[in-house]
Amino acid sequence: MNLHVSPQRATDQLLGQPNLRLRVGDHVVDVGALRVVTRPELPRLTGKAVAVLIELVRHAGSTVTRDELLDRVWTGRLTTPDVLNQAIKELRRAFADDRKPPHYIETIPKVGYRLVATVLVLDGPAGGVFIEAPDEAGGDVTATDAPSVAMPRVQPRAPRRALMPVAAVAALVALVGALAWWLAPSPRSTWRVEDVHALTSDPGSEYRPHLSPDGTRVAFSVYDPESRFERLVVRSVEPSRTIRLTNAGTAIEGLPMWSPDGTRIAFERLGVGYCEMFLVPSLGGNERRIGPCQDYNFNVFDWTPDGRSLIFAERPDPTRRALALALWNLDSGEKHRFDYARGADDEDIDAHYSPDGRFIAFRRGLSPYSDIWVMRADGSDARRVTHVSATIRGHAWMADNRSIVFSSTWSGSPALYVVDVDSGEMQPLGVGKAQFPHAARTGDTVVYELTRTQDRLKLLPIGDATRLRVLSPSTGSDYAPALSPDARRVVFSSDRSGQLQLWLHDLAANTTVQLTDDTARPVLFARWNRDGDHVLAVQREGAQRRLVEIDIDSHRQRVLSRPDDVVMFGDYDVEPDSYLVAVHGAGRSSKLLRIEHAGTPQEARSVLVEGIAQAQVDGKARALYYTAEGMPGLMRREFDGGTERLVTPAIGPDLGGGWRIVDGRIWYFSDLGIRSAALHELDPATGADRLVTRLDLLIGDVSFSVMPGGQAILFAPVDIEDTDIGALRLVRAGAH
């Protein structure tokens, strides 16, 4: 049976159908949405790039001249050849077609281009039909000729038309046999992902989706460009219009949570200096204020199974700062601590009841060193389920009460996983750039944030926000810039090569080179040595976190940590051939170690700080600054003599890496809002604290560096924000 469509007329009919989705080689292209579905981290394709792709698909396997492409895509417009060059570059970048010879688009020198990848129509009335040129012998391409493609096991969306032409049905039947190896889960897979698609694709961002208990509707926040606030909306999971739930337009609304009976939605409202909780009927109507939130940064909550209270996290003792789970009675407005076993310094947040109400899953540990724990609903038998020790961006119970879907940066960028509560077995789902998932209490629908943000390395002169400029432009996202001691170079993490690796930017020459190149192991959290010729960084490989030292000139690496160390970060000690290494453990078992003569028979280790969160060395003053779980704020310890004192309560473990030692003074962020922050400079000798500047920017990564003299800062704020709501079906392998 023929599975290819070679006549031009038939191909034109296929490419003109509605809801067109094409599999081009290894990738799926949603033509109408201008998206490469298999690479959700990428921004939308331009319309011209997609139009060029369609023309190449029309003549798959044949050369299309440059003049033909310019005439057909840019009809009636005066153009230069460069517009076509840019469109081809965009397509090759989208398909990661950087191999020799190319696997997607071949350049025919001085003539044009040829599409060499196989094309398959996925959606529409002709779904399942190949568009392909005959082989060299002139024969037809049959189902057995389908190429073996290493793909994420994600099934294409089922066509939405009720009836299909007989020929297309026959083609699909043959196709099932030929592609059974691809559609079937691997032997170890417990779950199968199906029907991956975007629920929203409008310009602007949508956030924190939450499904109704029956899985038919979804509530989320959408950015309103008129008011410049997020507004609460509800829509059906099926294509439908969104309906605003509230009338307020002077505050940010977020975190919608459906009640167990589906009649009400709890949400937070944030304004300048306040955070409050409200209830609203799920069909809209009069709101009811619940009360103030303690800290919006940790205000993640859920309903109790009886619908009478919320379970949330707050600090029962502000002096110790550790978060604990509590209950908030919606009738009386009273709060009381939830009774369960925990250490005094355990940070617990983001609790959710299982659909049957028997268990509670919660996150223990602040990012980026978190894990999921589960206990019985009465607070007994708390146990650790995951062992990722990484950032966890949302988790939700599946309807089976045995599994939890969650998002984590465990392998580098945020992606979806499922963990079995009993065995702790974790399965990656192959869905990247995804965070804050939520699953229906019944059925198999999962919604999530499909992140389309871009963090860019920028330089901001203090006092002149108009001169904010991008350093080292790219299509990727940048994080954690670290300035060299001579202030000539900056090393930073970036995913511009497809995986988080270290990059080196020369400020004077305005050039950027890749410092590490390992597609399987992300690298981040770089720190310079005093001579500026080496950096320490953390390299991830699965559950392992190792400390590596990288020679700037040769790019050579050596591992300084032991195989069983789960490294959080490292820094250079004040003594030669000595390093400070933070290793992660539960609660206060995280430690800051001094390691002398690493990797040699003379290696010696000693513990400097228990429960470490962050630390930095002031080499000139021979002092260590650090934050730790259970400590009141930023501490300073003298390396000579060991005396220790509190520097300021304004900087605690919650701030993460949002502080720096600069010429003996401490620069730090405060008042981190949705799109605002304040930058301070503090003199540790006198306690004098001055406001340096206020930033009206969305800051996801709080790491930064300060230029000499405090004239400018290097950081990576969010530059492009276009987050959508994604959806998929998550079914057990073997289920029908």
Side-chain angles (χ1 to χ4, degrees), residues 362-653:
F362 61 96
R363 173 163 61 91
R364 175 162 287 178
L366 299 180
S367 295
Y369 315 110
S370 302
D371 272 295
I372 294 175
W373 288 58
V374 168
M375 62 185 169
R376 296 187 181 276
D378 62 4
S380 63
D381 299 333
R383 58 188 177 85
R384 186 177 178 181
V385 174
T386 66
H387 292 79
V388 296
S389 298
T391 296
I392 292 178
R393 296 180 176 175
H395 62 93
W397 288 90
M398 295 298 296
D400 64 359
N401 299 288
R402 296 164 46 200
S403 308
I404 294 172
V405 58
F406 68 100
S407 170
S408 177
T409 60
W410 183 65
S411 61
S413 59
L416 294 184
Y417 302 83
V418 172
V419 62
D420 182 273
V421 170
D422 294 326
S423 67
E425 182 178 353
M426 194 171 80
Q427 177 186 337
L429 297 179
V431 181
K433 292 293 183 181
Q435 61 185 13
F436 303 117
H438 185 255
R441 288 176 174 266
T442 59
D444 47 25
T445 301
V446 175
V447 293
Y448 54 92
E449 278 189 13
L450 183 55
T451 60
R452 306 192 194 277
T453 60
Q454 184 179 18
D455 299 45
R456 282 184 172 179
L457 180 64
K458 294 188 176 184
L459 186 144
L460 174 66
I462 299 300
D464 190 356
T466 62
R467 294 172 58 201
L468 178 69
R469 64 185 177 94
V470 177
L471 301 177
S472 184
S474 78
T475 57
S477 284
D478 308 324
Y479 308 96
L483 190 66
S484 63
D486 61 7
R488 296 174 54 189
R489 297 177 292 183
V490 57
V491 64
F492 60 97
S493 294
S494 179
D495 63 3
R496 57 185 66 193
S497 64
Q499 177 61 281
L500 278 174
Q501 296 292 301
L502 291 188
W503 293 72
L504 186 69
H505 179 74
D506 188 303
L507 292 167
N510 196 28
T511 57
T512 306
V513 297
Q514 191 167 354
L515 192 57
T516 62
D517 185 12
D518 191 329
T519 58
R521 294 181 287 194
V523 186
L524 59 169
F525 306 139
R527 302 277 181 94
W528 289 87
N529 69 344
R530 288 188 293 275
D531 295 329
D533 55 8
H534 289 79
V535 294
L536 295 177
V538 177
Q539 184 184 70
R540 292 181 176 177
E541 184 176 13
Q544 290 186 320
R545 306 285 190 273
R546 59 175 64 94
L547 185 69
V548 296
E549 185 177 46
I550 303 158
D551 183 283
I552 294 296
D553 292 331
S554 68
H555 297 190
R556 292 179 179 174
Q557 302 178 20
R558 68 174 181 132
V559 179
L560 299 175
S561 55
R562 295 174 180 172
D564 57 343
D565 290 332
V566 180
V567 177
M568 300 162 62
F569 60 86
D571 203 349
Y572 288 93
D573 195 6
V574 292
E575 303 297 339
D577 197 19
S578 182
Y579 307 89
L580 302 185
V581 182
V583 293
H584 180 58
R588 287 185 60 82
S589 62
S590 297
K591 298 177 176 64
L592 182 66
L593 306 176
R594 168 179 276 171
I595 303 179
E596 301 172 84
H597 314 298
T600 71
Q602 292 76 38
E603 178 177 314
R605 293 184 167 205
S606 56
V607 177
L608 294 182
V609 180
E610 301 275 1
I612 190 67
Q614 287 288 335
Q616 293 178 43
V617 173
D618 185 343
K620 291 182 179 179
R622 295 184 61 85
L624 172 70
Y625 290 87
Y626 70 91
T627 58
E629 308 295 345
M631 301 299 288
L634 182 68
M635 307 296 294
R636 171 177 166 135
R637 174 181 295 180
E638 308 296 334
F639 281 110
D640 302 324
T643 59
E644 189 171 75
R645 66 181 178 88
L646 172 67
V647 177
T648 176
I651 302 173

Side-chain angles (χ1 to χ4, degrees), residues 302-322:
D302 196 7
W303 292 76
T304 57
D306 60 9
R308 299 178 60 184
S309 302
L310 299 179
I311 186 168
F312 67 107
E314 71 173 10
R315 308 180 194 284
D317 181 359
T319 62
R320 295 192 65 81
R321 307 181 69 88

